[in-house]
Amino acid sequence: MDVIDFMDVDGGGEIDAVEFTSAVHAARRNEIDDEHILKMMLAIDNELKLKQIKIADLFRMLDESGDGSLSRDELRAGLQILVSSNENVEQKRALALARRQAAERKWKLSQEKSEEVKSWLDRPESLPLTLTALSPER
């Protein structure tokens, strides 16, 4: 049994809004015995929470034909997009974090260099030897 078969309670070959909602709620209440299906349903629920999407809204988004039920193809394609778009979000977050950390390191280095230069201006004797020869006071 796969996730789609699990959701299709009436065996009609398509998933209606009640079946879809019931499956998500069953996962939330940990009422699914099949570990693989439970994992998949919890992943769907997690995506709903991460993206702050209501179950009914997700159902309508997945229902491309607008007929009030999800075919296997609509559900499969929609869930792949839902999960893969989260991967893109995670990649963007990781990239933004890396950029922010690099900028903070650069700022810290520039602050350290600024402090070093200020100390040289206050005390020319602290200039490195290579710069001491260029100092106008000598």
Side-chain angles (χ1 to χ4, degrees):
M1 176 184 284
D2 64 7
V3 173
I4 297 170
D5 291 329
F6 169 76
M7 286 185 182
D8 187 16
V9 176
D10 67 7
E14 294 194 339
I15 293 117
D16 63 30
V18 172
E19 290 172 320
F20 187 78
T21 303
S22 295
V24 174
H25 285 293
R28 287 179 179 171
R29 293 186 305 265
N30 204 19
E31 295 175 346
I32 301 173
D33 294 331
D34 185 307
E35 226 175 285
H36 173 72
I37 293 173
L38 178 61
K39 271 187 181 178
M40 292 297 292
M41 293 306 303
L42 288 174
I44 293 168
D45 187 44
N46 189 47
E47 295 301 316
L48 290 168
K49 290 175 184 172
L50 282 173
K51 294 182 173 82
Q52 299 178 348
I53 301 172
K54 294 179 182 177
I55 298 171
D57 293 336
L58 176 60
F59 183 85
R60 282 190 292 277
M61 289 181 343
L62 298 178
D63 184 14
E64 289 183 11
S65 66
D67 64 357
S69 63
L70 302 176
S71 68
R72 288 181 171 274
D73 291 338
E74 285 175 321
L75 184 60
R76 191 174 291 116
L79 294 179
Q80 285 176 343
I81 289 169
L82 182 71
V83 173
S84 68
S85 67
N86 190 51
E87 290 171 2
N88 292 338
V89 167
E90 291 302 318
Q91 289 171 349
K92 288 177 184 176
R93 284 183 187 155
L95 183 58
L97 178 62
R99 285 182 179 154
R100 186 170 40 251
Q101 288 172 339
E104 287 171 359
R105 280 192 302 274
K106 185 176 180 181
W107 181 84
K108 184 178 178 185
L109 285 174
S110 70
Q111 286 295 95
E112 289 171 358
K113 286 293 179 190
S114 177
E115 293 299 321
E116 188 176 7
V117 169
K118 284 179 188 175
S119 74
W120 293 345
L121 294 174
D122 292 340
R123 296 176 298 141
E125 66 278 1
S126 67
L127 281 170
L129 291 177
T130 54
L131 294 177
T132 304
L134 301 175
S135 176
E137 296 176 10
R138 297 193 180 216

